[in-house]
Amino acid sequence: HADADLAAVHLPDGVIARTTTPSPRLTLAPETSAVQTMIDAARERSAGASPEVEFFVGNAERLEVPDTSLDACRADRVLQHLSNPSSAVAEMARVVQAGGRVVAFEPDNGGLMIDAPDKEVTRRITQFRGDIVRTGWIGRQLPRLFKMAGLREVEVLIMPSPRTDYT
């Protein structure tokens, strides 16, 4: 709902955006040499937004947010880039109050649906896609990681992303 406290984790380490009024909300982006440029652009885009948004640097595996202080926490294509995504999931679970929601949108690069005439080439492509990202099979791991973090009522929605054209 509109006045819910929310953390949105967008990349593993870097810029965090948090609303300052009326309820704190949180967003992460990558920590790079371009952090100040990203912060400046985000501030410009969010100028005059309601609620007001604050930007700072943080880490998805060590959220500087009090226990059970948020109604929800969301990660969007973050966990696939972490060497230990269970730490970030545990942090998300830690900061969300009882009855809140933890949501993750993550691909499963090892489970791509590819329509190609050569099965061996197709197998090599899916193996490569699953291995090129730190945690390329994170999509299938989410239910287990959520349950390990103590989350209940875990739901999985599979959204296929077929590949049919490689020209």
Side-chain angles (χ1 to χ4, degrees):
H1 56 61
D3 60 352
D5 295 342
L6 170 70
V9 180
H10 288 287
L11 282 173
D13 198 35
V15 179
I16 298 177
R18 177 173 38 196
T19 59
T20 55
T21 58
S23 306
R25 298 184 180 157
L26 197 59
T27 300
L28 273 73
E31 183 174 16
T32 66
S33 59
V35 167
Q36 191 58 52
T37 301
M38 292 168 49
I39 288 174
D40 292 344
R43 284 180 178 152
E44 185 176 316
R45 283 193 304 265
S46 67
S50 178
E52 187 178 323
V53 181
E54 172 189 2
F55 298 91
F56 56 96
V57 176
N59 184 301
E61 295 179 9
R62 292 179 304 282
L63 295 174
E64 295 183 19
V65 177
D67 293 358
T68 66
S69 61
L70 302 172
D71 295 315
C73 190
R74 173 180 173 244
D76 189 352
R77 291 165 292 177
V78 174
L79 304 174
Q80 66 179 322
H81 299 292
L82 302 176
S83 52
N84 187 7
S86 60
S87 295
V89 171
E91 277 293 278
M92 293 169 70
R94 177 186 67 77
V95 302
V96 172
Q97 61 188 267
R101 291 181 184 231
V102 175
V103 177
F105 297 97
E106 295 291 335
D108 191 307
N109 291 315
L112 288 176
M113 295 183 343
I114 299 173
D115 178 22
D118 187 323
K119 282 187 177 182
E120 183 53 36
V121 170
T122 301
R123 285 185 187 103
R124 292 174 65 197
I125 291 169
T126 57
Q127 181 177 355
F128 173 77
R129 290 291 307 233
D131 292 343
I132 197 166
V133 179
R134 236 183 231 156
T135 311
W137 288 15
I138 189 64
R140 68 189 75 185
Q141 297 169 358
L142 286 176
R144 175 176 45 84
L145 296 179
F146 274 40
K147 289 174 185 173
M148 285 174 43
L151 298 171
R152 299 183 324 245
E153 299 181 40
V154 174
E155 294 181 36
V156 176
L157 175 61
I158 298 172
M159 301 174 71
S161 178
R163 307 292 195 255
T164 59
D165 185 5
Y166 288 96
T167 57

